[in-house]
Structures are given as C-alpha cells and as structure tokens.
C-alpha cells in the first residue's frame, strides 16, 4: 500500500470545496433510487400489478402468528384432516392432541413442534403439515417518507413490498440504513441497495406484526468513480469494506487498471485529503473499512483497445473503413496503396478530411453570439459568427490537388483515428437560385459571366433585387458580392434575392381602420369636453 498526503489547501478554497462536495454527496445518484422515490414508477410500473406477499414462502424466515391457517393431515388406520387457525395468543389447538404454543416460531420450527406434539399421541402415523392461508399484519412506516402511516400487509410481505406499496420515499431518504424495530424493542439495520444490486435476501427481510420501519435522511456518503460498471455516490454504511463497495458498483470494466486503486480520504482536520493506493488483491485480502466521504477511484489502462481506423467515402475505388498505424500512416499512402486511387469525375479540389478527435470541443464565444440579436453585435462579432457558422467542424486544411497532382508532400497529412476522408463527384455546373425565371443547374463554361448565367436561366424574376446579387463559393461557402467575384468556378451558387413586397391590402386596410378609430375617439372626447364647458 502506498500513501500520499496532499498539502492543505487555502481555508477559503477548502470551505468552498467542502460545500460543493457536501451538496453533491447529499443525494446519491444510483439508478435504483428511482424505483422507490418516483411516484410514477411506484404506481405505474410493472410492480404495481403485483400484490405484496405473492409468491413462495421461505419456511426458515417466515414466522407464524395469530390468523395463520395450518393444514394438518394424520394418516394411519384412519385418515384425519384438519384446517386450523392460530389463535390470538399464538396457540394452535389440535383436536385429540391439545393446545400447542407457536409464538415467535418460524414456519419450519412450528412444523417440527406440531409433528412432535402429534407423535406423543399417535404412533406409526404419517403426518403432513402445510401453511394453508396467511394472515394480515400491521406495520408502521415513518421518517423521511412521502406518507408516514400504518399499513396493513399480507404477512409474507417484505421490506421492499412495503416501500413499493406505500406512497414512496423522499429524494433524501437513506436506503442503506433502514431501521426496523420489532414489537419487543429489538433494532436492526438493513441495506436495501445490497438486495437490489446483489440479491442479498437478508437485506430484504420479512416484516412482522408490530414492526416499526424508520427511514432516515442521508447524512454521510461514499463514492466510487472511474472504470466500473455502475459508478456513483452511495449512502455510507458502518463497517462497509472497499471490496463491498466495488461489488455494489458492479465490478470492474474490462479496461480497468486493477493494480493501482486509489482511495482518497479526509483526515481529522476535514481539510487535508490523503490518498491510499491498493491493488485489487489488497481489497480482497484485507478488511479495508470505508469512512464517510471516502472516494474509490479506478483508472483505465492507457490506450486500451483504442481502435486506429479511418473512413474513406466518395469517388474513390474502394470505399470503407481502413486500419492505420498510429502517427505513421499518411493520407497519400492510404489513398494510393489501400484505397486504390480515385475514380473518374472525382473533384480533388472539393475533397476534404474531417478530424473527429477533438472536434466536439465547445466554442463559448460562438454559443454566446448565437443567443444575442444581430442589432446587439459589433461588426467584428457578426463577422466571427458568419465565418464560424460556415466552417465545417473539424475540417483539416489539405490541398488534394497539390498533393496528388503535383506531389507536394507538404500537404501529406498524417492521419489520426476517426478521420473521415471524403472525395465528392466533380461539379460541372453552376447553380442559380432565387429570383430567376428558371432556377437550377447550368453547365459550367469558363467564359461565361454572372450576367450570362442569369440570361441562360431566363433572366430576372419580376421581384428580383438586381443590385444585391451574391455568389456562394463552392470550396469555402463564402458569400461574395457580385462586384467582388473575380471568376466563377464549378459548384458555385448564384443567388438573386427577392425585393421585399409591399404590404398586403388587408393589412393596410386594418391599419387604416385602427388610425381612423383612434381619431374618432379623440374627436368624440373633444366634443364631450366642449359640451360640458358650455353647460
């Protein structure tokens, strides 16, 4: 075991960290909490169709009591069958045998007691005993619950049955330290999560007549993070081991590093954090007891099963996924040797590489600008917004024409995992959109001007705004004014905007009526004042 102490942090910073830590740990986040704290889940889920107590009974764990019905069959020379009920004092009267006390006995023990009592009277007989029908019990459910009350349940109901059939728990209810006090005053604690996660039946006990079930508020927590199947924050349980917490979290992921597990712990000053390092064998072979606030950290193996693949699509000979060698395979090597080169009519000018690794990083400035109106932006901010909006996220700057036609190796990009290479078909046309008579694609001719293409599209539409024509460049997506276009290229888009229409007649009529109404109101008020003055 390796121990490493961390120097105390400044008091103000520590206070802030402790506040954040306390707040975040106040509400454990594991999935099973929704079963017991979400009312919709309680009453609309599959468990709502099952009455508490349905199912088989474990004779070793079920305790008989007043109201239970017992079937007894005695086979000898004459067969005798009895359907008997335990009385309110816990006794069972068997005809011709007498009264037997079954108070505080499990079903298994009660069967033995009955059989022993019968054999005192009958010799050489076969005896069969079974629980014919079960009673109802009343238990009290209080504490941090939605509806504290006494509940009547079937006597083979368990702790989870009570929770699911009640109105549920609160968001800060402690599920791992549930207190049950029986009618004799004996107190026991149960970790319901161990039953939900690990199937530990001892943590979901049968309830008995007069039990007081108390749910407390979450006060202390522990957490496990990193390469485990179900990381999260859990309620602290006294004497819980680190190995049990790991088991509760589902165990290691395949990529987990099991030789160095870090356990962080606050020292007695509640400021200094100390790290303890263990192997998985240490956790199994040593009784490492957790303390409140402990955090078990499981890290991943470095570069474990990281796939080194890229994707190639478009007008290439063999599209698909290709394996690369990290930090070695180049763009030209892949296309030439593995992909088989390009197909005819491909457009190297428009080909590009998208780098997905790191491309999901957020741009806070872009997010800010998207949320404010254009009128509130400066010209520089608006230009930044336009340029970033036109940029393909993750696009790498590579000139395919220079690389493959001119063998300029300065453009030979070293590929990384996740890269996406796309080679589109060559565009041999210019597109016209907006206010032209026949919008669409026209075969590209180097000698034609913007005006020539508009004429080939039938000329301007009747609402065309002729002085504001734009060209959207194919390779950059940039919007360029007509006067600033040096030359057109295949794939360019000529956009002719629409002149804003005049207001519709009905809108003008409505506005006119509104104005007339306001004028009439003013005139009426003025006349009323004049008449009042004359009187």
């Amino acid at each position: 075991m390796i121990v490493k102490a961390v120097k105390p942090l400044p008091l103000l910073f520590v206070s802030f960290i402790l506040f954040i830590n306390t707040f975040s740990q106040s509400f454990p986040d594991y999935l099973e909490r929704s079963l017991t704290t979400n009312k919709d889940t309680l009453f609309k889920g599959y468990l709502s169709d099952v009455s508490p107590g349905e199912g088989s009974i474990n004779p070793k764990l079920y305790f008989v009591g007043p109201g239970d019905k017992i079937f007894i069959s005695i086979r000898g020379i004459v067969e005798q069958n009895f359907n008997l009920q335990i009385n309110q004092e816990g006794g069972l009267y068997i005809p011709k045998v007498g009264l037997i006390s079954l108070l505080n006995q499990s079903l298994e023990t009660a069967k033995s007691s009955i059989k022993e009592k019968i054999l005192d009277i009958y010799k050489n007989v076969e005896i069969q005993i079974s629980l014919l029908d079960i009673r109802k019990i009343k238990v009290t459910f209080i504490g941090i619950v939605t509806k504290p009350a006494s509940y009547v349940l079937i006597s083979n109901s368990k702790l989870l049955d009570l929770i699911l059939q009640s109105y549920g728990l609160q968001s800060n209810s402690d599920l791992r330290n549930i207190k049950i006090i029986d009618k004799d005053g004996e107190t026991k604690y149960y970790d319901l999560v161990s039953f939900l996660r690990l199937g530990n039946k001892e943590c979901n006990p049968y309830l008995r007549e007069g039990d007081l079930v108390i749910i407390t508020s979450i006060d202390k927590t522990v957490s496990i993070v990193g390469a485990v199947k179900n990381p999260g924050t859990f309620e602290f349980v006294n004497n819980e081991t680190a190995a049990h917490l790991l088991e509760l979290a589902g165990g290691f992921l395949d990529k987990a590093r099991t030789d160095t597990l870090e356990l962080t712990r606050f020292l007695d000053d509640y400021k200094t954090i100390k790290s303890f390092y263990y192997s998985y064998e240490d956790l199994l072979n040593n009784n490492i007891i957790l303390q409140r606030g402990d955090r078990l950290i499981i890290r991943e193996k470095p570069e474990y099963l990281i796939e080194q693949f890229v994707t190639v699509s478009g007008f290439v000979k063999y599209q698909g996924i290709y394996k690369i060698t990290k930090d070695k395979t180049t763009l030209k090597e892949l296309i030439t040797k593995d992909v088989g080169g390009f197909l005819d009519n491909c457009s190297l000018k428009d080909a590009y590489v998208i780098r997905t690794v790191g491309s999901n990083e957020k741009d806070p400035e872009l997010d800010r600008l998207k949320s404010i109106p254009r009128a509130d932006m400066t010209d520089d901010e608006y230009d930044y917004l336009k340029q970033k909006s036109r940029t393909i996220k993750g696009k790498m700057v590579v000139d395919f024409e220079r690389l493959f036609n001119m063998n300029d190796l300065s453009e030979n990009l070293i590929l990384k995992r996740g890269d996406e290479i796309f080679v589109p078909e060559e565009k041999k046309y210019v597109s016209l959109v907006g206010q032209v008579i026949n919008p669409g694609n026209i075969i590209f001719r180097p000698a034609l001007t913007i005006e020539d293409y508009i004429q080939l599209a039938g000329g301007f539409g009747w609402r065309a705004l002729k002085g504001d024509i734009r060209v959207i460049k194919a390779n950059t997506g940039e919007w360029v004014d007509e006067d600033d276009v040096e030359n057109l290229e295949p794939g360019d888009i000529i956009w002719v905007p629409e002149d804003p229409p005049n207001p519709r007649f009905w809108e003008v009529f409505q506005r006119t009526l509104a104005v007339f109404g306001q004028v009439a109101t003013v005139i009426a008020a003025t006349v009323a004042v004049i008449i009042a003055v004359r009187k």
Side-chain angles (χ1 to χ4, degrees):
M1 181 190 74
I2 303 173
V3 181
K4 180 180 179 181
V6 179
K7 293 182 180 180
L9 300 171
L11 181 59
L12 181 61
F13 183 72
V14 168
S15 301
F16 175 74
I17 293 297
L18 287 176
F19 171 77
I20 295 298
N21 188 56
T22 301
F23 183 81
S24 64
Q25 290 189 357
S26 296
F27 299 95
D29 50 7
Y30 52 87
L31 179 63
E32 286 79 1
R33 293 189 63 81
S34 63
L35 285 175
T36 55
T37 59
N38 188 325
K39 188 175 181 180
D40 290 337
T41 302
L42 289 170
F43 293 100
K44 296 180 182 179
Y46 68 94
L47 287 169
S48 63
D49 297 329
V50 181
S51 299
E54 289 186 0
S56 61
I57 290 176
N58 188 333
K60 295 181 179 180
L61 300 178
Y62 179 80
F63 282 78
V64 297
D68 281 339
K69 294 181 179 180
I70 306 294
F71 171 77
I72 301 175
S73 175
I74 304 174
R75 291 184 179 183
I77 299 175
V78 179
E79 181 177 352
Q80 301 181 71
N81 296 322
F82 304 100
N83 292 330
L84 308 174
Q85 181 171 310
I86 300 176
N87 64 31
Q88 296 301 310
E89 296 180 351
L92 181 70
Y93 179 79
I94 306 173
K96 299 181 181 180
V97 175
L99 184 68
I100 178 173
S101 176
L102 302 177
L103 196 64
N104 294 326
Q105 291 190 21
S106 68
L107 179 58
E108 182 180 61
T109 304
K111 286 182 177 182
S112 297
S113 299
I114 294 171
K115 188 173 182 178
E116 183 178 348
K117 186 74 174 178
I118 293 174
L119 290 176
D120 287 341
I121 306 299
Y122 294 91
K123 306 298 181 182
N124 300 321
V125 295
E126 182 182 344
I127 302 171
Q128 292 184 349
I129 305 170
S130 62
L131 182 63
L132 185 64
D133 197 5
I134 56 178
R135 69 194 187 279
K136 291 186 177 180
I137 60 174
K138 180 183 286 188
V139 299
T140 303
F141 192 41
I142 61 173
I144 309 301
V145 299
T146 302
K147 186 178 180 180
S150 292
Y151 292 86
V152 176
L153 306 171
I154 299 175
S155 59
N156 68 332
S157 298
K158 296 186 176 183
L159 175 59
L160 183 59
D161 296 324
L162 171 64
I163 293 174
L164 293 176
Q165 291 297 319
S166 69
Y167 285 79
L169 306 179
Q170 303 287 355
S171 60
N172 60 331
S173 298
D174 190 333
L175 300 184
R176 302 195 64 205
N177 295 279
I178 299 177
K179 183 191 297 185
I180 298 182
I181 305 175
D182 65 20
K183 61 182 180 181
D184 296 326
E186 183 180 0
T187 300
K188 293 183 179 180
Y189 291 87
Y190 296 92
D191 176 7
L192 186 61
V193 180
S194 287
F195 169 73
L196 296 173
R197 284 282 177 97
L198 307 176
N200 186 348
K201 294 182 179 180
E202 293 182 358
C203 294
N204 185 33
Y206 282 107
L207 297 175
R208 299 176 64 182
E209 175 68 36
D211 277 353
L212 178 62
V213 181
I214 303 175
I215 305 293
T216 58
S217 177
I218 297 171
D219 179 40
K220 306 173 185 177
T221 59
V222 292
S223 60
I224 181 169
V225 296
V228 291
K229 295 178 181 178
N230 298 294
T233 300
F234 297 86
E235 298 94 325
F236 170 76
V237 175
N238 285 327
N239 298 318
E240 181 175 29
T241 65
H244 183 265
L245 180 62
L246 177 61
E247 185 182 13
L248 207 63
F252 295 113
L253 292 176
D254 185 58
K255 60 184 177 180
R257 182 181 177 183
T258 62
D259 60 340
T260 306
L261 314 178
E262 183 178 3
L263 179 68
T264 64
R265 173 172 295 171
F266 280 98
L267 299 186
D268 293 339
D269 60 3
Y270 302 106
K271 300 176 184 178
T272 306
I273 301 176
K274 186 174 276 190
S275 291
F276 302 85
Y277 295 91
Y278 304 94
S279 67
Y280 180 48
E281 288 72 21
D282 291 335
L283 263 60
L284 294 178
N285 299 327
N286 299 288
N287 204 28
I288 301 170
I289 303 299
L290 296 175
Q291 297 181 14
R292 65 169 299 179
D294 280 359
R295 184 183 297 267
L296 188 59
I297 303 170
I298 291 84
R299 293 185 169 81
E300 300 179 6
K301 298 173 183 175
E303 299 186 4
Y304 182 71
L305 293 181
I306 296 179
E307 296 181 334
Q308 299 291 335
F309 291 99
V310 298
T311 304
V312 183
S313 59
F315 271 59
V316 294
K317 191 169 184 180
Y318 301 109
Q319 300 184 64
I321 298 175
Y322 289 89
K323 179 184 69 67
I324 62 172
T325 302
K326 182 181 177 182
D327 298 330
K328 289 185 178 180
T329 305
T330 64
L331 176 60
K332 186 166 186 177
E333 176 188 359
L334 180 75
I335 296 295
T336 304
K337 294 182 179 180
D338 298 333
V339 178
F342 305 105
L343 295 178
D344 294 338
N345 297 327
C346 73
S347 177
L348 293 183
K349 180 185 66 173
D350 298 320
Y352 56 87
V353 177
I354 298 296
R355 180 144 295 169
T356 60
V357 175
S359 64
N360 291 327
E361 295 178 359
K362 291 187 176 182
D363 185 339
E365 180 64 10
L366 180 61
D367 293 338
R368 183 185 71 85
L369 294 176
K370 286 180 178 179
S371 65
I372 62 177
R374 167 66 181 95
D376 296 337
M377 297 183 195
T378 65
D379 291 340
D380 288 341
E381 288 177 331
Y382 184 60
D383 288 341
Y384 182 81
L385 175 64
K386 289 192 298 182
Q387 294 301 324
K388 292 293 289 186
S389 299
R390 294 168 183 167
T391 302
I392 300 176
K393 184 176 288 189
K395 183 178 180 181
M396 304 297 293
V397 179
V398 181
D399 190 330
F400 277 69
E401 288 183 316
R402 293 182 62 86
L403 176 59
F404 290 96
N405 293 341
M406 303 172 61
N407 198 31
D408 184 353
L409 296 182
S410 65
E411 300 289 339
N412 198 13
L413 182 70
I414 295 178
L415 298 174
K416 292 187 177 295
R417 64 182 180 89
D419 281 355
E420 298 174 1
I421 304 164
F422 181 68
V423 183
E425 183 180 7
E426 183 181 6
K427 295 178 181 178
K428 298 181 179 180
Y429 55 82
V430 171
S431 300
L432 283 94
V433 296
Q435 288 298 304
V436 293
I437 300 300
N438 295 305
N441 299 328
I442 298 176
I443 299 298
F444 173 75
R445 301 175 193 172
L448 296 182
T449 64
I450 295 175
E451 292 78 7
D452 295 333
Y453 282 108
I454 292 175
Q455 290 304 314
L456 289 174
F460 289 107
W462 74 282
R463 296 215 56 83
L465 191 60
K466 301 177 183 179
D468 200 17
I469 300 172
R470 305 286 181 87
V471 173
I472 305 171
K473 301 300 292 181
N475 57 341
T476 64
E478 182 182 8
W479 291 53
V480 183
D481 290 335
E482 178 184 14
D483 297 337
D484 296 331
V485 176
E486 297 180 359
N487 60 289
L488 292 173
E489 297 174 307
D492 284 352
I493 300 173
I494 300 173
W495 177 61
V496 181
E498 179 182 4
D499 195 10
N502 294 322
R504 296 181 179 180
F505 170 77
W506 179 246
E507 294 177 355
V508 175
F509 181 69
Q510 284 181 315
R511 292 174 186 172
T512 303
L513 284 181
V515 172
F516 283 159
Q518 293 173 0
V519 172
T521 302
V522 172
I523 293 174
T526 304
V527 171
V529 171
I530 293 173
I531 292 174
V533 172
R534 287 182 177 180
K535 288 182 179 181

